[in-house]
Amino acid sequence: AGALIDATNPLDFSKGFPPDLALKGNDSGGETLQRLIPHARVVKAFNIVTNTLMFRPDLPGGPPDMYIAGDDAGAKARVTKILHDFGWPRVRDFGGIAASRWLEAMCIAWVLACASTGNWRQAWKMLKA
């Protein structure tokens, strides 16, 4: 069985730039998609980088990490394999689809960081001791 990769962010540009999240608090785009297609195995991924970094991200600091969320372990394993094939050696599982709330908030933090430097070729990396 497959997985439905949700690479979207519910962005609200009604007040201009930078955007806000249209869904926040106790909901997210990932959760909304899962409710709209209840039989799908939704996995949030790719929403924290620009499209030019989705495939074979090549950055001077080494490969970034990709963060995922979803309720189905099999779907997350399949998406992790796809991510590895796409050049993402480290995939961090944030938990169930409700963790989309935090991944979508990370998109806003990413937008703010990129806008402040004018560099949209940035990505997240979690360092461990």
Side-chain angles (χ1 to χ4, degrees):
L4 173 60
I5 299 174
D6 174 18
T8 67
N9 290 296
L11 300 179
D12 176 2
F13 286 93
S14 65
K15 295 179 183 158
F17 187 88
D20 195 2
L21 288 174
L23 298 171
K24 52 189 165 185
N26 293 326
D27 204 3
S28 67
E31 291 167 282
T32 299
L33 185 59
Q34 186 64 78
R35 284 192 306 274
L36 289 171
I37 315 171
H39 64 277
R41 300 182 325 153
V42 178
V43 178
K44 174 71 77 175
F46 291 116
N47 76 301
I48 57 171
V49 296
T50 186
N51 65 314
T52 61
L53 291 176
M54 289 180 179
F55 185 70
R56 296 190 180 145
D58 183 21
L59 296 169
D65 294 343
M66 179 56 69
Y67 308 136
I68 65 171
D71 291 337
D72 187 278
K76 288 194 286 189
R78 182 154 176 93
V79 171
T80 296
K81 180 177 181 337
I82 291 168
L83 287 164
H84 289 163
D85 290 347
F86 274 37
W88 294 88
R90 285 181 304 276
V91 177
R92 312 283 187 186
D93 185 347
F94 273 38
I97 196 65
S100 293
R101 300 169 188 179
W102 313 118
L103 295 181
E104 292 168 8
M106 286 178 74
C107 170
I108 299 297
W110 175 84
V111 166
L112 295 172
C114 293
S116 72
T117 62
N119 178 1
W120 295 89
R121 292 186 50 81
Q122 300 184 51
W124 297 99
K125 189 170 193 172
M126 186 178 299
L127 303 176
K128 296 193 289 187

